[in-house]
Amino acid sequence: MEQLVFSWIDYLLFSSLLGTSLLIGIYFGFFSKQDSVSEYLFGGKSMGYLPVATSILASLLSGITFLGVPTEVYLYGCQYFLTVFNTIATGALTAYVFIPVFYNLQISSTYEYLELRFSRATRRFASVLYVISLSMHLPIVIYVPALAFSQATGYNLHLITPLLCIVCITYTSMGGVKAVVWTDTIQFIFTVGGLSTVLAVGVYSVGGFFNVWKISGQGGRLDIFDFNPSPFVRNNFWSMTIGTTFSSLSHSAVGQKFIQRYLAIKSLADINKAVLFKTVGTVIIDVMCTYAGLVIYTQYYNCDPISAKLISRNDQIVPYYVMDITKNLPGIAGVFLAGIISSALSTMSAGINTLSGIIYDDFIEQRMPECPEKDARAANIMKVISVFVGLISIALIFAIEHMGTVLEMSYSFRGAADGPLLGFFLLGMFFPCVGKKGAMTGACVGLSFMLWVVVGAKWHMLYNPKSPDTKLPMSTANCSVVANETIFEKTVLPTSKAYEEPMILFRISFLYFCLVGTVITVAVGVAVSYIVGESNSTKVDPDHLTPIMRR
């Protein structure tokens, strides 16, 4: 492991990316108009659909995708491939069900819709949920590339994360959404270039496509159509299609981070083009990441670096693999890691920009006195909020190091809030019989239940480290004798604490968290509205309903 480190070419490529991102932020901060809310959050609503779609794609496909998905496939098989179905369904629903409502109302925040449909209190409650959800997600996003960089260079993880965050905070707070969109576009080129290069080198190193397919099949990595209906199975057909669809809808179809940039496009037709571009791009990248996991398995099927203790965390398998296969090809590891850093910075910058807008719109704007300078002052306030949010993200990074793989952390932490949030919008757009009391009650019940499930599951994980593992088998037959002896000694040591089975709800697959929260919110909301007499649908403005429900 001591030999697998960056060369000067790798450092040059990596630093070039960070420098380019900073220069873009400085340019838009000093030489582009950023003195109003519309300019800072929506770029004056004059952005082209192609850079916006690329920006959305770049921020959607964070390091969680590029490191988490190959790791998931390496350990559990390529069931993740089934998420292409949820990606297609999410794209269609976004374009034809949710976007028309937001576009016709021309609102600055998706949560402004909830105020129009239900009440001011509903809007603030949803905004708080989203702020918490996204704030918990951002540290995971930046932790992933920091972990990879630490693996590749030997620098301390806790020194790297503040550096990356400071770069991102600087160009986001200075340049607004224009800087976010254009840095995302450039960073996306690094990301896709790095992944494509590593895939090409990796496939060549293991003997070609058909060898990958053969060895992966022998290792059980291609068994994806598991129709077991149990919600307690970590990965199966239903969790990867239906379960992940609800999570995707909560993030992409009603999440402010994405809707804000869709609404920066002038026409609805161009917005739909952006949705199509984002959907196709996501499918392609997901397939590439899934195949990358199979290539890594083919490389290490008879000497697993995790079992051999060559790496300390599951999520280090991808950077270890990249450094291993490119150690004689200077620059390729730098390109790949620049791509991972790019994806993280694009996701974090979009999140910071979104949170600054929500916090200002929902909690500060009403307290601002009316004056000619109000709009310019608002833009400056949002820049300060961006810095504050970024600093909080840096602090939270140190609290997430012992919570499982990054993919699992991402779905688990956000699942508690994402279900009630999606439930709010489904109640508003699909159920004209539901009023503000039903919506608030449903969301509160859904949130309380999911917090109990998520916290309980994580608590059990922390205090039962010897829980049965569902990872697919790996071999260490070709590892060194020392490594095998270490594994043997660790395997035969008696455990001091027997595994305790958690209660049934704590065993629900994390991929179902958003689905469960959404269903509870909708069911309770409809029932409460019926009981308290809020079911007069004639009082609902048809513009607040999705087009397919207006008749």
Side-chain angles (χ1 to χ4, degrees):
M1 285 297 295
E2 300 303 322
Q3 303 301 316
L4 303 183
V5 295
F6 261 19
S7 67
W8 68 269
I9 298 177
D10 297 314
Y11 279 113
L12 179 62
L13 287 167
F14 177 77
S15 57
S16 297
L17 170 71
L18 296 186
T20 302
S21 299
L22 274 175
L23 288 175
I24 291 174
I26 292 170
Y27 170 78
F28 282 109
F30 287 100
F31 302 106
S32 179
K33 186 180 178 182
Q34 297 288 332
D35 57 357
S36 69
V37 174
S38 176
E39 282 291 336
Y40 190 76
L41 294 181
F42 299 101
K45 296 199 173 184
S46 60
M47 302 294 293
Y49 75 87
L50 196 58
V52 169
T54 305
S55 169
I56 290 172
L57 185 60
S59 60
L60 177 67
L61 301 170
S62 67
I64 294 172
T65 304
F66 293 105
L67 291 186
V69 172
T71 301
E72 184 80 6
V73 172
Y74 179 80
L75 296 174
Y76 300 100
C78 64
Q79 289 95 339
Y80 190 86
F81 170 78
L82 296 170
T83 60
V84 299
F85 296 112
N86 99 55
T87 300
I88 296 170
T90 299
L93 292 172
T94 300
Y96 298 107
V97 174
F98 295 100
I99 285 288
V101 177
F102 299 131
Y103 180 80
N104 291 335
L105 294 174
Q106 283 297 299
I107 51 182
S108 61
S109 163
T110 56
Y111 305 107
E112 184 181 344
Y113 163 80
L114 296 178
E115 179 180 2
L116 297 174
R117 174 66 175 85
F118 295 119
S119 67
R120 180 74 184 174
T122 306
R123 172 181 178 174
R124 287 190 170 179
F125 182 73
S127 296
V128 170
L129 282 184
Y130 188 74
V131 168
I132 294 173
S133 171
L134 196 52
S135 297
M136 292 297 294
H137 181 65
L138 292 182
I140 302 173
V141 165
I142 209 67
Y143 170 77
V144 171
L147 188 70
F149 190 82
S150 175
Q151 175 81 14
T153 63
Y155 289 119
N156 189 289
L157 176 70
H158 301 134
L159 295 177
I160 299 166
T161 48
L163 172 64
L164 298 179
C165 289
I166 289 170
V167 171
C168 186
I169 293 166
T170 301
Y171 76 74
T172 304
S173 60
M174 292 179 67
V177 75
K178 288 183 178 179
V180 169
V181 167
W182 286 110
T183 51
D184 285 356
T185 302
I186 293 172
Q187 290 163 356
F188 184 70
I189 296 172
F190 269 86
T191 305
V192 175
L195 178 61
S196 301
T197 304
V198 168
L199 262 181
V201 174
V203 171
Y204 177 79
S205 68
V206 296
F209 174 85
F210 293 105
N211 199 42
V212 173
W213 195 259
K214 175 185 175 182
I215 294 176
S216 297
Q218 293 172 348
R221 263 60 184 180
L222 302 180
D223 300 331
I224 62 176
F225 293 105
D226 178 5
F227 293 100
N228 184 347
S230 172
F232 310 115
V233 176
R234 190 182 192 276
N235 296 340
N236 59 25
F237 178 85
W238 308 110
S239 64
M240 283 295 178
T241 53
I242 298 175
T244 57
T245 296
F246 279 77
S247 298
S248 296
L249 285 174
S250 183
H251 301 161
S252 303
V254 300
Q256 174 67 5
K257 185 172 73 170
F258 298 106
I259 299 301
Q260 174 182 324
R261 278 176 287 172
Y262 283 133
L263 295 181
I265 303 172
K266 189 172 183 179
S267 71
L268 185 59
D270 281 349
I271 292 176
N272 287 338
K273 291 178 185 177
V275 174
L276 176 62
F277 183 90
K278 168 257 177 186
T279 301
V280 174
T282 303
V283 169
I284 293 172
I285 298 297
D286 280 346
V287 170
M288 291 175 69
C289 289
T290 301
Y291 190 68
L294 297 180
V295 173
I296 296 173
Y297 171 75
T298 305
Q299 179 77 18
Y300 297 127
Y301 75 97
N302 58 3
C303 183
D304 175 30
I306 300 172
S307 302
K309 307 303 178 186
L310 295 175
I311 54 179
S312 58
R313 283 185 57 91
N314 293 340
D315 292 307
Q316 290 178 319
I317 186 67
V318 178
Y320 175 80
Y321 167 77
V322 173
M323 298 300 294
D324 187 16
I325 66 168
T326 65
K327 54 180 175 283
N328 297 321
L329 300 169
I332 294 181
V335 170
F336 178 79
L337 191 57
I340 297 297
I341 299 294
S342 297
S343 62
L345 292 179
S346 62
T347 304
M348 186 176 186
S349 63
I352 291 174
N353 184 258
T354 299
L355 287 176
S356 67
I358 290 177
I359 293 171
Y360 175 79
D361 277 347
D362 294 346
F363 303 104
I364 298 176
E365 197 270 339
Q366 293 76 20
R367 296 174 173 81
M368 293 278 291
E370 293 295 334
C371 63
E373 299 83 15
K374 180 179 179 180
D375 217 22
R377 190 179 300 173
N380 291 328
I381 289 174
M382 283 186 282
K383 292 179 181 180
V384 173
I385 295 172
S386 296
V387 175
F388 182 69
V389 169
L391 294 176
I392 291 177
S393 297
I394 295 175
L396 288 175
I397 289 172
F398 301 99
I400 64 171
E401 295 186 53
H402 307 287
M403 295 293 176
T405 66
V406 291
L407 195 70
E408 185 172 345
M409 284 191 288
S410 176
Y411 275 96
S412 298
F413 288 144
R414 302 191 73 183
D418 287 348
L421 278 174
L422 180 59
F424 262 137
F425 288 96
L426 292 181
L427 287 171
M429 295 184 186
F430 286 86
F431 297 89
C433 61
V434 173
K436 60 183 180 181
K437 294 179 182 177
M440 282 291 286
T441 305
C444 288
V445 173
L447 177 65
S448 300
F449 181 83
M450 291 314 302
L451 281 175
W452 178 47
V453 171
V454 172
V455 173
K458 287 301 174 186
W459 182 272
H460 188 270
M461 176 188 293
L462 289 173
Y463 287 92
N464 285 274
K466 299 299 182 182
S467 57
D469 204 339
T470 58
K471 297 185 185 74
L472 294 175
M474 292 295 299
S475 171
T476 55
N478 272 11
C479 292
S480 66
V481 175
V482 175
N484 277 322
E485 288 175 353
T486 303
I487 296 166
F488 178 77
E489 291 171 2
K490 289 183 178 295
T491 303
V492 299
L493 286 175
T495 56
S496 57
K497 182 180 179 181
Y499 171 71
E500 297 178 7
E501 188 78 14
M503 68 170 294
I504 189 169
L505 291 176
F506 296 161
R507 287 185 278 132
I508 296 176
S509 171
F510 63 90
L511 296 174
Y512 286 114
F513 284 174
C514 186
L515 167 61
V516 174
T518 302
V519 170
I520 292 174
T521 300
V522 171
V524 173
V526 172
V528 170
S529 287
Y530 178 79
I531 293 171
V532 301
E534 287 185 321
S535 55
N536 186 358
S537 60
T538 60
K539 296 181 179 179
V540 177
D541 186 338
D543 285 341
H544 297 166
L545 302 176
T546 185
I548 64 175
M549 292 297 295
R550 287 173 189 166
R551 187 189 309 176

